[in-house]
């Protein structure tokens, strides 16, 4: 909290040593009716969550954070929060001197390797969002077991001040979230396009049981990826897993 330059995000911070998943804690806290902008941080997670039941490994030295947001949006548009967060993380990593870029929908890469994953979970009624849990995991000074992953420390060849980086990230998130609230998703989308590593690439996108291969053309107003396939048609993919095949 000390030195944090934000007004909304991180007014209340719950800092845990070890927990299962910060997203799970944040959900419990949100269900009891906590203020918007409350942040849950953990030094380590024993059961960090990825999408679709996958695991996120958050060893000591990494950043595991969940932010409780209450945007007045249609539940259909909740994925725009994931894309927004990818923009904010990219800005913070660039601010720390790294050439970060976004891989649709929820990854941030440095040198083609995953440095951050984002998991948004929602509590909603038919047409209104009660709250969104924005979960962000960043590899900072921790070790990563995967060839496909990297850390800030590995890329910068030095330890990073984790508190300062967390503050910078919350500042970037707040800036983008206020823009989102005031002006909608369009300005965020322009930043997203600028920071994207996916657009223009040949990609292979898997969603449910289908695999779509083609060139990533754009992302539309609801965060869906538009892929131009070999027969020239455009496929709109609402969510899925994206593999970059080549530039
Ligand atoms: C994600 O899922 O990337 C979402 C990760 C969200 C983590 C944050 S931490 C704070 C909050 N609390 C939680 O419990 N979760 C959130 P997905 O796109 O499904 O990617 C998961 C895949 O990433 C795994 O199957 C691994 O292949 C890979 N992976 C796991 N841990 C990693 C790490 N530390 N760095 C890079 N890749 C990792």
């Amino acid at each position: 909290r000390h030195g944090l330059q934000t007004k909304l995000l991180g007014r209340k911070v719950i800092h845990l040593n070890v927990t299962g998943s910060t997203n799970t804690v944040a959900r419990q806290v949100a269900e009891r009716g906590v203020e918007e902008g409350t942040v849950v941080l953990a030094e380590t997670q024993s059961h960090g969550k990825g999408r679709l039941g996958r695991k996120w490994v958050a060893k000591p030295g990494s950043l595991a954070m969940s932010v409780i947001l209450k945007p007045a949006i249609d539940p259909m548009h909740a994925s725009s929060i994931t894309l927004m967060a990818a923009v904010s993380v990219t800005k913070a990593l660039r601010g720390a001197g790294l050439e970060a870029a976004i891989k649709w929908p929820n990854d941030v890469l440095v040198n083609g390797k995953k440095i951050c994953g984002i998991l948004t979970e929602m509590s909603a009624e038919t047409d209104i969002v009660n709250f969104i849990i924005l979960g962000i995991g960043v590899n900072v000074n921790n070790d990563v077991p995967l060839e496909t992953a990297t850390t800030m420390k590995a890329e910068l060849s030095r330890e990073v001040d984790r508190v300062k980086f967390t503050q910078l990230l919350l500042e970037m998130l707040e800036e983008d979230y206020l823009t989102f609230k005031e002006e909608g998703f369009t300005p965020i989308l322009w930043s997203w396009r600028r920071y994207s590593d996916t657009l223009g690439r040949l990609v292979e996108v898997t969603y449910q049981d289908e695999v779509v291969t083609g060139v990533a053309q754009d992302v539309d107003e609801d965060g869906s990826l538009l892929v131009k396939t070999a027969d020239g048609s455009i496929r709109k993919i609402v969510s899925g897993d994206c593999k970059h095949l080549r530039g």
Side-chain angles (χ1 to χ4, degrees):
R1 224 357 313 211
H2 184 74
L4 183 62
Q5 303 286 323
T6 55
K7 292 196 178 69
L8 179 65
L9 306 188
R11 262 199 310 230
K12 185 180 160 104
V13 177
I14 299 169
H15 192 172
L16 306 162
N17 187 18
V18 187
T19 192
S21 156
T22 56
N23 266 32
T24 307
V25 174
R27 177 179 281 272
Q28 287 159 355
V29 168
E31 274 162 1
R32 291 201 297 264
V34 81
E35 64 186 278
E36 180 173 53
T38 298
V39 169
V40 180
L41 287 167
E43 292 298 314
T44 349
Q45 292 185 133
S46 55
H47 295 84
K49 294 190 285 185
R51 293 178 305 147
L52 307 166
R54 288 188 290 244
K55 291 193 172 68
W56 178 259
V57 183
K59 299 210 172 154
S62 74
L63 168 60
M65 174 168 89
S66 299
V67 186
I68 298 165
L69 300 175
K70 300 180 179 180
I73 55 169
D74 189 298
M76 296 240 307
H77 296 139
S79 63
S80 47
I81 296 288
T82 302
L83 273 70
M84 179 203 77
V87 167
S88 313
V89 171
T90 301
K91 283 187 191 168
L93 288 168
R94 289 188 178 201
L98 290 164
E99 278 192 43
I102 303 169
K103 177 157 120 12
W104 184 89
N106 68 317
D107 291 352
V108 180
L109 310 178
V110 173
N111 287 323
K113 292 179 172 178
K114 184 160 171 174
I115 200 163
C116 165
I118 298 161
L119 175 68
T120 45
E121 297 182 89
M122 165 171 70
S123 158
E125 325 264 307
T126 0
D127 55 359
I128 187 89
V129 167
N130 297 323
F131 59 79
I132 285 178
I133 307 297
L134 169 59
I136 302 176
V138 184
N139 298 320
V140 185
N141 297 319
N142 54 300
D143 293 328
V144 276
L146 300 159
E147 271 288 302
T148 52
T150 192
T151 69
M152 292 181 75
K153 184 183 171 182
E155 298 296 330
L156 292 165
S157 306
R158 59 172 170 80
E159 290 257 337
V160 171
D161 184 328
R162 214 156 41 107
V163 174
K164 276 209 186 113
F165 179 71
T166 306
Q167 290 180 338
L168 176 64
L169 176 54
L170 283 170
E171 284 156 21
M172 297 298 117
L173 271 173
E174 175 155 304
E175 189 177 285
D176 292 327
Y177 186 54
L178 294 179
T179 301
F180 177 75
K181 279 188 143 179
E182 281 157 25
E183 298 166 45
F185 188 46
T186 309
I188 306 295
L189 200 48
W190 282 106
S191 305
W192 193 95
R193 291 186 179 109
R194 193 163 65 242
Y195 297 140
S196 161
D197 191 35
T198 299
L199 298 184
R201 277 188 192 267
L202 184 64
V203 296
E204 188 183 274
V205 189
T206 312
Y207 75 110
Q208 286 153 12
D209 289 333
E210 205 187 347
V211 181
V212 177
T213 306
V215 178
Q217 297 283 106
D218 199 3
V219 162
D220 73 7
E221 282 294 329
D222 64 10
S224 300
L225 188 66
L226 305 176
V227 177
K228 189 172 189 178
T229 59
D231 66 10
S233 66
I234 302 277
R235 298 289 306 274
K236 177 183 159 93
I237 298 155
V238 180
S239 74
D241 280 305
C242 175
K243 202 155 47 164
H244 289 169
L245 297 180
R246 60 172 164 75

